[in-house]
Amino acid sequence: MIMMLPFATVLLSALYTWRGHRRAGAGWWWVTLAIYICWCFYHMTSPLNLSL
Amino acid sequence: MLVKAPALGRYVYWLDCLALLGVSAVLWLAFVWQLRLHELPCPLCLLQRVAFAMVGVALLMNLRFGIRPLHYGIAVLSALAGTVSAGRQVLLHIAPGDTGFGSPFLGLHLYTWALLAFLLLLVYCGLVLLSDTVDSEARPRKLSTLARIAAVAFLSILMINLVSTTVECGFGPCPDNPTDYKWLPK
């Protein structure tokens, strides 16, 4: 699990958007979202000390 | 060409500028907080920063290519992603006696502020979508001065966050309660 990876992909998304490449910007955003979801499973699946 | 521009619609471009400035300000504040108080962000805090950055990409798309539903779809999903990680962190520390993670800011911890900010962004997207404003085509356009300032503030803090996270965590996972930068001498 590489924590800096979503920062790299979202930066690419922003840079492509800034440069006027909408499809590439949106594509890197999707990659960031996929990594985000994976990282959420890694960090957020331990049980909470709560009754929900 | 703007297809439909009711009252709120005329101001959407400027509202998006302000929203991008707001998102950039949040990321800058979190970074200054990290340096000034030497409070290193935990993995959930870092995920919230990523979610703010993802929302910022959607706002930048609106400024750069015009107002399109795709951009608000991206903003809504990004804000929801941020709501999940911030909400999870609030629940982790919600039990009585828990002092929370990090120092509070104006009475609330940063992750609680983040949760409120993501909810506010969702409300903002809902209101803008209610204005039913859309550009006929997505094509690159020149940024206004305010939009350029917002974009530069946003891109620069993204680069800083990439460097900062790499210095903190290296090319691996971050510990749940980080105390030192992995790539800096102790």
Side-chain angles (χ1 to χ4, degrees):
Chain A
M1 221 225 44
I2 305 167
M3 197 65 230
M4 51 72 73
L5 196 56
F7 285 96
T9 55
V10 81
L11 177 60
L12 280 172
S13 175
L15 285 174
Y16 274 115
T17 303
W18 166 259
R19 299 281 296 168
H21 304 287
R22 184 173 177 250
R23 283 173 67 92
W28 280 109
W29 178 85
W30 277 112
V31 173
T32 308
L33 183 66
I35 297 169
Y36 192 96
I37 291 168
C38 295
W39 276 210
C40 281
F41 274 103
Y42 185 88
H43 282 292
M44 294 200 238
T45 44
S46 58
L48 286 168
N49 191 21
L50 293 170
S51 79
L52 295 171
Chain B
M1 188 184 77
L2 210 60
V3 170
K4 195 176 176 185
L8 181 59
R10 285 194 292 275
Y11 304 107
V12 168
Y13 181 86
W14 298 109
L15 289 173
D16 280 338
C17 278
L18 293 177
L20 184 58
L21 273 175
V23 165
S24 307
V26 165
L27 289 169
W28 274 106
L29 176 73
F31 183 66
V32 170
W33 190 269
Q34 170 184 339
L35 293 185
R36 292 268 301 174
L37 279 78
H38 193 68
E39 287 186 357
L40 275 64
C42 61
L44 287 177
C45 315
L46 290 169
L47 283 176
Q48 287 153 43
R49 291 189 190 188
V50 172
F52 276 117
M54 289 162 72
V55 175
V57 167
L59 296 168
L60 185 59
M61 280 182 175
N62 261 344
L63 299 176
R64 192 76 175 88
F65 301 104
I67 300 155
R68 300 289 297 170
L70 169 79
H71 307 158
Y72 285 109
I74 288 176
V76 166
L77 287 179
S78 304
L80 275 176
T83 303
V84 168
S85 54
R88 161 82 183 188
Q89 199 167 6
V90 168
L91 289 177
L92 274 174
H93 299 291
I94 204 167
D98 192 316
T99 53
F101 184 86
S103 308
F105 172 71
L106 298 176
L108 296 177
H109 287 91
L110 292 186
Y111 47 84
T112 311
W113 281 117
L115 178 61
L116 293 173
F118 286 124
L119 292 175
L120 198 65
L121 283 164
L122 284 171
V123 170
Y124 169 71
C125 289
L127 287 175
V128 171
L129 288 170
L130 280 178
S131 78
D132 204 19
T133 305
V134 66
D135 280 302
S136 57
E137 57 176 335
R139 55 176 175 76
R141 55 198 71 194
K142 277 191 75 172
L143 295 176
S144 68
T145 306
L146 183 63
R148 191 165 297 143
I149 291 169
V152 169
F154 178 61
L155 286 168
S156 52
I157 190 61
L158 287 195
M159 289 178 198
I160 288 169
N161 264 306
L162 174 63
V163 173
S164 152
T165 307
T166 308
V167 170
E168 182 189 342
C169 314
F171 294 121
C174 269
D176 283 341
N177 193 2
T179 52
D180 290 298
Y181 293 94
K182 192 171 183 177
W183 281 9
L184 289 183
K186 291 179 184 174

